[in-house]
Amino acid sequence: MIKGRPLDAIWAHYERIDGNKAKCKECGVEFSALVERMRNHFNKFHASKDEATPKKQPKIDTFVVKTTPSQQEQFDSLIAKFFYANNVSFKAVESDTFRNLVAGLHPGCKAPHRKRLSGDLLEKTCAELEGALSLEGKFASFCLDGWSNVANDPIIASSIQADGSVYIVDICDFDDQKHTGENLAKTALKHIESAREKYGVRVTAVVTDNAENMNVMRKKVQEVEKIEQYGCAAHQFNLLAKDLVPNSIINRVVEVAKMFRNCHQPKAWMGQEGLNKPQLPSLVRWNSSLNVLKWFVNEWQKLRQIVENHQDYLMVLEKMLPKLFEILPFFNSQKTQ
């Protein structure tokens, strides 16, 4: 007897005839001896629920969540947009908790590496968003500013404001150039042209702060472009506040603000009275000097009451009470003028 592959259990209901045909023992129907066809025939016409033969063994694919390359690319794009839109650190994409989250939502998906978030995915997302913009022929204001990043590298960034929204034009490293008005003007003209090519807008004005090199830059740009030039209004108000109020007054207001902002007990008392935390002056926040003065003028009565109610806090009393009473006459005199 020749041994070979064992017959399927479905053959118990059929007879083999002519080698490659099968005959149903129930109804006598003959057809090709294909196991799948034999099983379907028996289950459909003759078997009860209990007698029905088992289906073909499922493949391992049925137990695995597959992710096609196109699906993975879509997942990568969605994850990248989440990070960009919410200003999340790219380092978070490599954390175990985030990877577990992605695996839990779709087991076949893998989170992209942070280098991809800062590389091809960022470029692809930018190109996609820029392609979806509809700014052709619209008027836009061009803004340019410079600062130093965390590595103390000088950065120049430009943007446009059009249709009520702000769009980045370019960000460049200015390390190899001096921050003169002439060099800034060359960069500004280059970025203005980039804004026209990238967004199709009509640049009608240039807005910068009022630093001397920026003033020179605006004049140089106007000689070439013949467009309106404006200094930053917030910067102008900040400079105006600093000019109108003596430095001695501003310094004392800042000392009071620091005391209530940085010391635990005065900060708690201020919170109990429902006072807002003061904003300290900063060179990069143009309205900060004006804000700290407005805070003091609006809240000085409550601040004075806080100090008088807590005379046991002698260090605060000695440092702040004289300053409060020295500052107030100046502001009272301004109100009467």
Side-chain angles (χ1 to χ4, degrees):
M1 182 177 180
I2 300 175
K3 293 184 178 181
R5 182 177 180 182
L7 294 176
D8 191 274
I10 193 63
W11 277 103
H13 305 284
Y14 291 87
E15 294 180 7
R16 185 184 292 275
I17 57 176
D18 296 335
N20 60 350
K21 287 190 176 183
K23 180 179 179 180
C24 178
K25 292 180 180 181
E26 301 291 336
C27 63
V29 174
E30 299 179 6
F31 44 77
S32 299
L34 300 174
V35 172
E36 191 65 25
R37 185 175 181 183
M38 294 162 61
R39 183 183 294 111
N40 290 338
H41 171 80
F42 181 79
N43 290 340
K44 183 176 181 180
F45 297 106
H46 308 301
S48 64
K49 291 183 179 180
D50 296 333
E51 297 175 332
T53 59
K55 294 183 178 180
K56 190 175 181 180
Q57 182 178 4
K59 296 181 179 180
I60 193 172
D61 292 349
T62 60
F63 303 98
V64 178
V65 179
K66 284 188 174 181
T67 303
T68 64
S70 60
Q71 288 177 323
Q72 182 64 57
E73 192 64 27
Q74 183 182 14
F75 289 142
D76 290 347
S77 178
L78 292 174
I79 291 172
K81 289 177 181 178
F82 167 80
F83 273 78
Y84 305 147
N86 296 281
N87 199 26
V88 180
S89 170
F90 293 168
K91 188 177 180 180
V93 79
E94 297 179 353
S95 68
D96 292 337
T97 52
F98 183 79
R99 292 190 177 278
N100 291 339
L101 171 64
V102 173
L105 295 174
H106 190 88
C109 175
K110 293 183 179 180
H113 193 273
R114 62 176 174 176
K115 288 186 178 180
R116 287 203 65 205
L117 287 180
S118 61
D120 64 295
L121 287 175
L122 180 59
E123 294 177 358
K124 178 181 176 181
T125 303
C126 287
E128 179 183 336
L129 294 177
E130 289 172 359
L133 292 177
S134 179
L135 299 175
E136 188 69 33
K138 294 187 176 181
F139 297 107
S141 298
F142 175 84
C143 303
L144 184 140
D145 199 3
W147 66 90
S148 297
N149 62 13
V150 293
N152 203 32
D153 298 323
I155 303 296
I156 295 293
S158 59
S159 63
I160 58 170
Q161 184 169 359
D163 240 14
S165 298
V166 178
Y167 305 92
I168 294 293
V169 176
D170 201 354
I171 300 175
C172 61
D173 187 350
F174 219 63
D175 194 24
D176 58 343
Q177 301 183 57
K178 292 183 178 180
H179 291 199
T180 62
E182 290 76 8
N183 290 336
L184 291 172
K186 293 178 183 177
T187 301
L189 290 170
K190 180 180 177 182
H191 289 192
I192 289 173
E193 190 60 33
S194 296
R196 290 168 177 160
E197 295 176 359
K198 184 183 293 186
Y199 299 108
V201 295
R202 299 172 61 184
V203 178
T204 57
V206 174
V207 181
T208 68
D209 61 35
N210 300 282
E212 185 60 33
N213 55 352
M214 288 296 186
N215 291 334
V216 174
M217 182 211 76
R218 292 202 304 270
K219 293 179 181 178
K220 296 287 184 182
V221 170
Q222 192 173 33
E223 293 174 359
V224 177
E225 289 289 340
K226 307 298 181 183
I227 56 180
E228 296 296 328
Q229 311 288 322
Y230 296 99
C232 175
H235 188 200
Q236 291 175 341
F237 278 118
N238 190 71
L239 295 176
L240 181 62
K242 293 175 69 175
D243 288 342
L244 291 177
V245 181
N247 287 335
S248 59
I249 297 295
I250 292 182
N251 292 338
R252 289 176 178 177
V253 170
V254 170
E255 289 181 17
V256 174
K258 285 182 178 179
M259 181 64 70
F260 278 98
R261 179 187 175 96
N262 300 332
C263 295
H264 297 303
Q265 285 185 289
K267 183 179 179 181
W269 299 331
M270 186 172 62
Q272 293 170 4
E273 294 292 334
L275 302 183
N276 295 323
K277 184 170 66 173
Q279 179 186 22
L280 299 179
S282 171
L283 293 176
V284 296
R285 295 191 181 102
W286 299 134
N287 57 346
S288 55
S289 294
L290 180 62
N291 283 345
V292 73
L293 293 173
K294 288 172 61 178
W295 170 82
F296 184 82
V297 170
N298 294 333
E299 309 292 359
W300 72 267
Q301 290 183 335
K302 292 184 179 179
L303 296 175
R304 173 181 173 180
Q305 190 62 45
I306 289 174
V307 174
E308 292 180 346
N309 291 342
H310 298 86
Q311 296 185 15
D312 55 329
Y313 196 67
L314 297 178
M315 292 183 61
V316 175
L317 192 63
E318 292 175 359
K319 289 182 179 180
M320 297 183 58
L321 197 54
K323 291 181 173 33
L324 284 172
F325 285 102
E326 290 174 6
I327 298 170
L328 297 181
F330 170 79
F331 288 106
N332 289 332
S333 65
Q334 299 302 310
K335 291 181 179 179
T336 59
Q337 293 181 3

